[in-house]
Structures are given as structure tokens and as C-alpha cells.
Amino acid sequence: MNIPMKVIGLLGGMSWESSAEYYRIINERVRARLGGLHSARCLMWSFDFAQIEALQQAGDWTSATERMIEAARRLERGGADFMAICTNTMHRMADEIQSAVDLPLLHIVDPTAQRIRDAGYRRIGLLGTAFTMEQAFYKERLRQMHGLEVLVPGDQDRGAIHRIIYQELVLGRVEPASRDVFRAAMQDLATRGAEAIILGCTEIMLLVSSEDSPLPLFDTTTIHAEAIADMAMA
């Protein structure tokens, strides 16, 4: 049976550890819905993350944006019907990428916020890279477009979380001591009144699960990947 599916364009490799999870989740979602040997039709541009990370740490977001746009154009030329950025942090330049190509962009915040609102939560803790937790691009979309109140960890916890992401998780290292750091940060968010927590970095799901949190968790990797698969099959 010929099942029509859109071609997915994935901007990945940031890091490949989480991009591999995207590929798995998308294809499991397609198989679960369509059955048999069905899998997703997709293209992925996978960056050398060392180059992207260097631009992030240097604060050279202009060059990083140029590289993201170039990659999006490659997906467009390759025949993708829509695209998704397989990382939270690089949604910093989502608007610029969307403006540079004709492909629709499925923003990671939107399906995540919809899940949160459907569950009845409004006051949300946010974990992610320092860029995601501290800069406005992510929090303001949650607030202005989806009406959510956003809490982030304190300075010390933010620094520790950022270090764990870049020095461990993107390298595929899962350390029990680092899980304890996340558990303490999540407990602090709960104490401050958060109703649920967004895992706002696509690698965090490699380290923590619902068993580690006093609050419901919303894993952006899984939510985004499932939404991508649903959009491809719509």
C-alpha cells in the first residue's frame, strides 16, 4: 500500500547523540501508526558540532546563523517538505532560518507548550543550556505565544547544568553524580512553585527520567520528534 508522507528535513548533529534519538523516535512513531515496514521519509544535515559549539561559546551567533541557513537551504534543495531543528539552543535563530527558506519550520517550543497546556499546567521550570535558560528567545516564546510562566534554576545550578551538557552529555557520558545535580535543581524548582519541568535540551533525556523528578517532565526531544512524525503523516 502506498502511504503518502511528507519528506522531513532535519537540522541535526547538535549533538549527534540526541539526533540519533530523533531518528529513532520519528521512525518508531511512523511504524506504530502505519505498521509493517513503514518508516519516515527524511533528510538530515548533520553538523560537525565542534564547529557549532565554538561559535556558541564565542558568542558569534551571526556566523552560527549563516551556517544554519546554509544547511536549511541544502534541505530545501534536497526535496524536504518541511524542516525541524533537532536542538533547543539553536532555535535562537529560528526566525532567521524560517525567513531564508520556503519550507515550514516546526518549532520545538510549540508542540511542547501545547502538551503542557493540555495537561493543565501554567507555571513551568526550564532546564537547558545557559543560552536557553538565560536568553530571551525560548522563554519569551513560551510566555508570549503560549501564556506560560517560566522559572529557571539559580546561578549555581545553571552553571552546573550547562557544564554537564557540554562536557558530558554531548559526549555520550552519563554520570550518576550529574543526575544528582539535576535532581537537586528540579527539587528547587518544585519548591519555588513550578508545576512541571521542561527538559529544554535534547540531551537531558539521556540522563534523567520521570523517576528523578518530583514534578511531571516534558521531554522536548520526544515531544518534538513525535510532532515531526505526525506532521509528516498528516
Side-chain angles (χ1 to χ4, degrees):
M1 182 170 55
N2 185 22
I3 305 293
M5 275 192 288
K6 298 181 181 70
V7 177
I8 303 165
L10 299 173
L11 292 169
M14 301 171 286
S15 68
W16 70 259
E17 296 281 350
S18 58
S19 297
E21 294 299 314
Y22 266 86
Y23 188 75
R24 176 184 62 80
I25 295 165
I26 288 168
N27 280 291
E28 286 178 351
R29 183 84 162 184
V30 170
R31 183 172 60 190
R33 177 170 296 185
L34 301 182
L37 299 177
H38 287 291
S39 57
R41 302 172 66 206
C42 68
L43 307 171
M44 179 184 287
W45 174 262
S46 188
F47 284 94
D48 177 356
F49 187 50
Q51 297 175 356
I52 297 299
E53 188 271 345
L55 295 174
Q56 291 175 342
Q57 299 304 324
D60 189 356
W61 297 104
T62 298
S63 295
T65 299
E66 290 171 353
R67 295 195 182 199
M68 294 289 285
I69 289 172
E70 177 188 7
R73 287 173 172 160
R74 288 174 181 268
L75 293 177
E76 187 173 38
R77 292 196 300 270
D81 293 308
F82 71 98
M83 62 181 172
I85 303 168
C86 301
T87 167
N88 287 272
T89 297
M90 298 304 276
H91 278 76
R92 188 183 192 278
M93 62 279 294
D95 291 343
E96 292 93 330
I97 296 168
Q98 179 65 93
S99 297
V101 297
D102 291 330
L103 301 179
L105 171 66
L106 180 55
H107 197 292
I108 198 168
V109 164
D110 298 338
T112 301
Q114 188 61 54
R115 290 268 191 105
I116 291 167
R117 289 177 59 88
D118 288 347
Y121 303 120
R122 291 295 182 271
R123 198 169 197 223
I124 304 301
L126 174 62
L127 303 179
T129 66
F131 310 116
T132 300
M133 292 186 289
E134 295 172 4
Q135 297 179 11
F137 69 94
Y138 202 95
K139 294 181 291 187
E140 288 308 304
R141 192 176 184 97
L142 287 167
R143 289 169 177 152
Q144 294 180 4
M145 294 187 63
H146 300 285
L148 299 176
E149 182 180 354
V150 183
L151 303 176
V152 297
D155 291 350
Q156 185 173 349
D157 284 340
R158 292 201 306 272
I161 289 167
H162 185 84
R163 178 192 60 78
I164 291 165
I165 290 169
Y166 278 93
Q167 296 182 17
E168 297 176 15
L169 297 183
V170 299
L171 298 173
R173 289 175 51 202
V174 176
E175 304 288 348
S178 296
R179 185 175 293 113
D180 290 339
V181 171
F182 274 80
R183 285 171 174 163
M186 291 187 288
Q187 182 59 60
D188 179 63
L189 289 169
T191 300
R192 290 164 52 200
E195 299 169 333
I197 294 174
I198 294 174
L199 302 184
C201 171
T202 51
E203 283 83 18
I204 296 176
M205 55 92 77
L206 302 173
L207 178 66
V208 301
S209 67
S210 59
E211 297 177 353
D212 300 301
S213 175
L215 299 173
L217 297 180
F218 289 84
D219 168 31
T220 53
T221 305
T222 299
I223 294 169
H224 196 206
E226 289 179 350
I228 291 165
D230 292 346
M231 188 169 178
M233 293 183 287

